[in-house]
Amino acid sequence: MAALLAVAGLVSLGLWQVNRLAWKRDLIEKVESRVHAAPVPAPPSASGDDAYRRVIVTGRFLHGHATLVQASTARGAGFWVLTPLVTDCGFTLLVNRGFVPPEARARFSRPGGQVRVTGLMRLSEPGGGFLRSNDPAANRWYSRDVAAIARARQLRPPVANYFIDAERSGSPASLPVGGLTVLTFPNSHLSYALTWFALAAMAAGAYIFVMRQLWKERRS
């Protein structure tokens, strides 16, 4: 019974990794097709299947309500600049304008008037970062939690339930630096699945070996 439970558990883990492999491959294919597609108008809300869609929106920024969220990027540690955009369609949308280093957290560009933003739809990141919870009262943000930021900044509804990672625009030296969305996803699920299946085979083999030895001892 113990051997049966062990083998069943290991096989279940292997099958779970196979399902994760299919999900990850589907995600990679979707992202690859979406990031190179022509942008579509940004909707007032999003579902889980809308992640990484390329969208375009026009409106005006509320720079006085911008939020700095701690970030770790290829350019080092710093902050994402999340700024509300009052869209021409009547809803407010958080735009991740890009990355600024710590020494430039107060001196980045703030374009006025009508702007047009192109970027990728990203789903909200509720709660906080790894081992660190957002602290709105102290204005410490570790994840891009749309609902919490909207409440803390008292944004007038309706507010979209997602944010946009803006594409890079302006001169190479301008801040914030957009277009830093990570579009590579680790995919080790096949090796994990093979490992679990191998362990299941080893457990089954060990059981067979023990049973044969017991059978031989009983015959002798």
Side-chain angles (χ1 to χ4, degrees):
M1 183 62 69
L4 177 62
L5 291 175
V7 172
L10 292 168
V11 170
S12 297
L13 289 171
L15 293 175
W16 176 65
Q17 288 296 337
V18 170
N19 291 332
R20 293 283 294 174
L21 174 64
W23 169 81
K24 185 61 70 65
R25 286 177 172 173
D26 181 61
L27 173 64
I28 293 172
E29 290 178 3
K30 285 182 178 179
V31 171
E32 283 294 323
S33 63
R34 290 173 179 178
V35 298
H36 298 108
V40 299
S45 63
S47 66
D49 194 47
D50 290 321
Y52 298 98
R53 292 191 188 278
R54 193 161 176 252
V55 296
I56 189 169
V57 63
T58 56
R60 58 182 180 84
F61 281 123
L62 301 177
H63 294 293
H65 296 329
T67 300
L68 298 181
V69 180
Q70 288 199 10
S72 178
T73 72
R75 290 174 169 259
F79 300 92
W80 299 121
V81 180
L82 261 70
T83 307
L85 180 78
V86 180
T87 71
D88 294 341
C89 297
F91 64 92
T92 301
L93 172 64
L94 283 181
V95 176
N96 177 15
R97 297 183 56 217
F99 169 82
V100 293
E103 64 273 14
R105 59 184 300 171
R107 51 180 180 85
F108 49 85
S109 66
R110 294 172 173 82
Q114 191 84 353
V115 296
R116 175 175 292 185
V117 178
T118 303
L120 301 178
M121 296 177 66
R122 301 295 308 278
L123 303 181
S124 179
E125 301 167 347
F130 180 66
L131 298 179
R132 294 184 294 183
S133 299
N134 292 326
D135 187 356
N139 199 29
R140 294 192 182 97
W141 301 92
Y142 304 102
S143 73
R144 293 163 290 190
D145 187 335
V146 172
I149 292 174
R151 287 193 301 269
R153 297 295 178 259
Q154 298 181 342
L155 300 181
R156 181 178 299 177
V159 179
N161 61 346
Y162 65 95
F163 64 94
I164 289 179
D165 272 350
E167 295 180 355
R168 184 159 189 173
S169 61
S171 67
S174 64
L175 295 173
V177 180
L180 296 180
T181 307
V182 176
L183 297 173
T184 56
F185 305 94
N187 188 10
S188 302
H189 299 295
L190 179 59
S191 62
Y192 294 156
L194 293 176
T195 299
W196 289 123
F197 288 141
L199 291 173
M202 291 172 62
Y207 170 75
I208 294 172
F209 175 79
V210 170
M211 289 299 100
R212 288 186 63 184
Q213 291 298 113
L214 291 175
W215 180 72
K216 288 180 180 180
E217 291 176 2
R218 288 172 181 171
R219 285 194 63 185
S220 63

